[in-house]
Amino acid sequence: MNTVLWLIGLCSSVFIGHRVEASHPYYGNFQSLQSTSVPISQPYRTGYHFQPSKNYMNDPNGPMIYNGIYHLFYQWSTSGPVWGNIVWAHATSIDLINWIHHKHAIVPSEPFDSEGTWSGSATFVQGKPIIQYTGIIESNQWNYQVQNMAVPKNLSDPFLVEWDKPVEYNPIIAHIDGINASAFRDPTTGWKGSDGIWRVTIGSEVGTDGISYLFRSDDFIHWTTAEQPLHSAKGTGMWECVDFFPVAVDGKEGLDTSVLGPNVKHVFKVSLDDTKHDYYTIGTYNPEKDKYTPDEGSIDNDSGLRFDYGKFYASKTFFDHEKKRRVLWGWANESSSVADDVKKGWAGLQAIPRTLWLSENGKQLQQWPVEEIKKLRTERVSLPSKVLEGGFVMEVPGLTASQADVDAIFELPKLEDADIMDPSWDNPQVLCSSKPASIRGKSGPVGLLALASKNLDEQTAIFFRVFNHQNKYVVLMCSDQSRSSLEESNDKTTYGAFIDFDPEHDKLSLRSLIDHSIVESYGVGGKAVITARVYPTLAIENAARVYVFNNGTKSAKMSNIEAWSLKKAQIKYLEDLKP
């Protein structure tokens, strides 16, 4: 048993925001930032998260499953570890965990995309995949954006390596009066109405208002603009990477994007260019009026619900018809400096794909890592129930702690033993920042210390605090990066989320996927997820450790903890396939 003297007096409430990136950032001195070689030592490369062998990656594009093979396309820089000269890179998998990288699927080559091939989606039309993507064309207006299509050259190729961009049709949606051509991008997966007409929606902005324009087609080639947008919201700025899909009211099974009916709700998600956050609402889609309306209480701005309250942007879902699930991909960008990205020769990776479904209360989505991640589990550690006295810290032994899956369950305190909630504490990130792991409360912080060094000089703390608000539980989940690294140039922002907690049905559970420079944490069965990117200098490789801790003044009970070391995923990179 150890005490938590290492925690006392280490409060930091400063937000460091210098690494917040847009989906399409711009570097004026791009060429000077390029790396000339990739270093041999790579302590921050992940073992089981999706990332290319080198260079810069951002948005996941057009994920899909076709003839039993999963396809992930993604934005990739051909030039180096910062954004620029973007193509659609391509990889395939049979299990969403082990991947084969192929040659690039879509590259700038035609007048309709000569300046860039940006994000988009895949739709199955008569059983055949069609990609729609944003092309940047040469113009005296910077980033002049149009929408294009691409189709497989050979449908009998199981990997769909070759893609064709029909010049007779492209661009399929060109300049439209009244739409800002430099803010018009990222077409969604299409859906078909009961009238047999296809719809897609594309993000944009009008003044300071976010807007999602709607387009219709009877052949998925020739498109017309709807008289009104699918949805819009005041003061939300540019909407990138819009996603729109149905969810079942009951059960966890996913639905095809075109499904309608009385037992179906719809999810509308946008990536906010102004704040670099993904948020979503749950609501109703009227197919006759082609209009989406959020449910009452579903907040239509950046203070609303998020898929992830940490490093997670430009997310995209697809329907896995073979396993009847909707799968979510998201980009986890770096928290290190651009100079450090150049040194390591790469930047950006994808979070573990997640299954998502509508919560039983119908007010939010829940998420969980795809079940295939369990294939990587090796050594298992199981610890019995234990009372954690205030100030308690205990190592979880027997793990490869730099590459692990840790699942812990804690018990709720009595309401009278919880701190009283101040009504002014309405921003969870600010609250977590002002009350990091070093600040003791009555009931919490209690949770895990991931990627921690032996002497705890470095640690990423993921924890709960429990409050009493008018004799009801309020659960706060935090991911505290303030002591994640001795390297001060990193962004060490602390993240937080309030969790809609039902004490009769929910457990105070915390699952963390730890992988060298990323910690993805799922609270209360996936009601809140927080992804952190951290770069310890001491807690790397075999020197990393995982601890369970309670820094509350009152005791807490850990009712269960199970953990596994995870082996590396099997990856074949593009250069490995060359003769």
Side-chain angles (χ1 to χ4, degrees):
M1 179 185 297
N2 298 304
T3 61
V4 288
L5 294 175
W6 46 272
L7 281 167
I8 307 303
L10 294 170
C11 174
S12 172
S13 59
V14 178
F15 288 97
I16 305 173
H18 62 281
R19 283 290 290 166
V20 175
E21 295 175 338
S23 181
H24 309 293
Y26 174 72
Y27 295 99
N29 60 335
F30 176 78
Q31 293 302 327
S32 67
L33 291 171
Q34 301 314 299
S35 169
T36 57
S37 62
V38 176
I40 296 176
S41 177
Q42 289 281 359
Y44 306 127
R45 277 196 68 83
T46 59
Y48 57 89
H49 281 74
F50 183 94
Q51 63 179 132
S53 62
K54 61 182 179 180
N55 292 15
Y56 176 96
M57 164 203 277
N58 59 306
D59 310 4
N61 294 323
M64 65 179 186
I65 181 171
Y66 182 70
N67 288 344
I69 294 179
Y70 294 100
H71 296 256
L72 177 64
F73 306 91
Y74 57 95
Q75 299 274 276
W76 188 74
S77 169
T78 61
S79 301
V82 297
W83 185 89
N85 299 327
I86 294 294
V87 302
W88 273 51
H90 180 204
T92 59
S93 171
I94 59 171
D95 58 10
L96 291 171
I97 299 298
N98 303 291
W99 292 90
I100 299 174
H101 291 252
H102 302 286
K103 72 176 186 178
H104 310 322
I106 304 174
V107 301
S109 63
E110 303 291 343
F112 49 79
D113 65 7
S114 61
E115 300 303 306
T117 54
W118 286 8
S119 297
S121 304
T123 303
F124 286 94
V125 180
Q126 297 180 344
K128 301 175 182 179
I130 295 179
I131 285 173
Q132 290 183 330
Y133 70 97
T134 297
I136 313 302
I137 67 175
E138 187 174 354
S139 170
N140 56 11
Q141 181 181 353
W142 187 71
N143 283 351
Y144 195 99
Q145 298 163 17
V146 299
Q147 314 310 319
N148 302 315
M149 67 179 289
V151 295
K153 285 186 177 181
N154 181 8
L155 284 169
S156 64
D157 173 12
F159 300 116
L160 302 180
V161 173
E162 299 280 348
W163 288 78
D164 182 51
K165 301 179 291 186
V167 295
E168 65 269 31
Y169 300 132
N170 284 320
I172 54 173
I173 303 176
H175 178 261
I176 297 168
D177 290 340
I179 294 180
N180 181 355
S182 64
F184 179 53
R185 55 184 176 266
D186 312 333
T188 62
T189 298
W191 70 97
K192 182 184 281 190
S194 57
D195 56 5
I197 302 298
W198 286 100
R199 281 91 166 155
V200 298
T201 187
I202 299 170
S204 187
E205 64 180 342
V206 176
T208 62
D209 300 341
I211 191 167
S212 186
Y213 290 109
L214 186 69
F215 298 85
R216 300 189 185 102
S217 172
D218 59 6
D219 61 3
F220 218 77
I221 296 173
H222 303 92
W223 294 87
T224 58
T225 312
E227 294 180 359
Q228 63 179 358
L230 176 68
H231 189 47
S232 62
K234 292 187 178 298
T236 51
M238 174 63 197
W239 285 358
E240 295 190 304
C241 302
V242 173
D243 201 7
F244 183 62
F245 56 90
V247 288
V249 171
D250 299 310
K252 296 183 178 182
E253 280 197 357
L255 300 175
D256 179 82
T257 311
S258 296
V259 168
L260 300 170
N263 295 318
V264 172
K265 301 292 290 187
H266 273 76
V267 176
F268 185 87
K269 167 260 160 185
V270 301
S271 299
L272 289 181
D273 191 32
D274 286 352
T275 65
K276 314 306 179 284
H277 295 151
D278 282 9
Y279 86 88
Y280 71 90
T281 56
I282 295 168
T284 301
Y285 169 57
N286 185 323
E288 284 74 34
K289 296 182 178 180
D290 270 333
K291 195 72 176 175
Y292 168 78
T293 304
D295 289 346
E296 184 177 355
S298 199
I299 300 173
D300 209 355
N301 59 45
D302 188 47
S303 62
L305 294 167
R306 300 186 201 170
F307 287 148
D308 193 299
Y309 292 83
K311 284 280 187 180
F312 192 86
Y313 192 69
S315 59
K316 179 66 186 172
T317 67
F318 75 98
F319 175 57
D320 180 353
H321 61 272
E322 294 199 356
K323 293 199 172 183
K324 300 296 187 292
R325 60 184 175 178
R326 182 154 289 272
V327 178
L328 171 70
W329 281 95
W331 167 47
N333 64 324
E334 303 298 314
S335 296
S336 53
S337 68
V338 173
D340 282 346
D341 294 345
V342 171
K343 289 178 182 177
K344 66 179 186 278
W346 56 269
L349 50 88
Q350 301 297 320
I352 291 298
R354 307 167 183 176
T355 303
L356 54 79
W357 66 93
L358 187 64
S359 180
E360 287 187 4
N361 64 15
K363 296 180 179 179
Q364 71 166 102
L365 299 175
Q366 289 182 242
Q367 305 164 66
W368 205 243
V370 292
E371 61 183 355
E372 290 89 339
I373 193 70
K374 296 178 182 178
K375 295 170 61 174
L376 299 180
R377 288 175 173 176
T378 55
E379 297 87 359
R380 176 176 174 266
V381 175
S382 182
L383 300 180
S385 299
K386 186 176 184 64
V387 174
L388 311 179
E389 300 295 339
F392 181 91
V393 144
M394 176 181 68
E395 184 174 0
V396 180
L399 283 181
T400 304
S402 61
Q403 206 166 287
D405 182 352
V406 184
D407 198 351
I409 299 176
F410 305 94
E411 292 189 5
L412 278 173
K414 297 178 181 179
L415 265 174
E416 56 267 28
D417 290 340
D419 288 303
I420 300 298
M421 181 78 176
D422 188 318
S424 67
W425 295 343
D426 58 354
N427 187 314
Q429 183 168 351
V430 171
L431 183 56
C432 285
S433 185
S434 64
K435 293 180 179 293
S438 59
I439 301 298
R440 307 190 74 177
K442 288 182 179 179
S443 49
V446 59
L448 300 173
L449 302 176
L451 296 176
S453 59
K454 183 177 181 180
N455 58 6
L456 298 172
D457 285 342
E458 292 183 333
Q459 54 178 273
T460 296
I462 313 101
F463 59 86
F464 298 115
R465 290 184 185 272
V466 180
F467 298 97
N468 180 340
H469 180 58
Q470 299 178 350
N471 288 321
K472 293 183 179 179
Y473 285 104
V474 175
V475 173
L476 175 70
M477 177 180 170
C478 302
S479 181
D480 177 4
Q481 280 79 248
S482 62
R483 299 192 64 197
S484 60
S485 176
L486 298 179
E487 173 54 61
E488 293 303 323
S489 67
N490 296 331
D491 173 6
K492 301 179 186 179
T493 299
T494 288
Y495 307 118
F498 289 122
I499 300 180
D500 185 4
F501 193 90
D502 181 353
E504 293 187 6
H505 300 99
D506 291 330
K507 293 182 179 180
L508 198 61
S509 62
L510 177 62
R511 182 182 180 186
S512 289
L513 298 177
I514 304 163
D515 196 3
H516 297 273
S517 64
I518 184 171
V519 182
E520 294 184 66
S521 299
Y522 296 74
V524 189
K527 284 192 172 183
V529 187
I530 303 178
T531 295
R533 299 297 314 281
V534 294
Y535 316 91
T537 61
L538 304 175
I540 60 174
E541 304 295 353
N542 293 332
R545 289 169 165 78
V546 175
Y547 297 86
V548 61
F549 80 101
N550 172 29
N551 198 32
T553 59
K554 292 185 176 293
S555 63
K557 186 173 182 181
M558 178 187 73
S559 59
N560 187 52
I561 187 166
E562 287 190 302
W564 297 263
S565 298
L566 297 185
K567 62 185 178 182
K568 287 187 176 182
Q570 297 177 10
I571 308 293
K572 290 185 178 179
Y573 295 109
L574 183 60
E575 51 266 39
D576 298 332
L577 304 178
K578 293 179 180 179

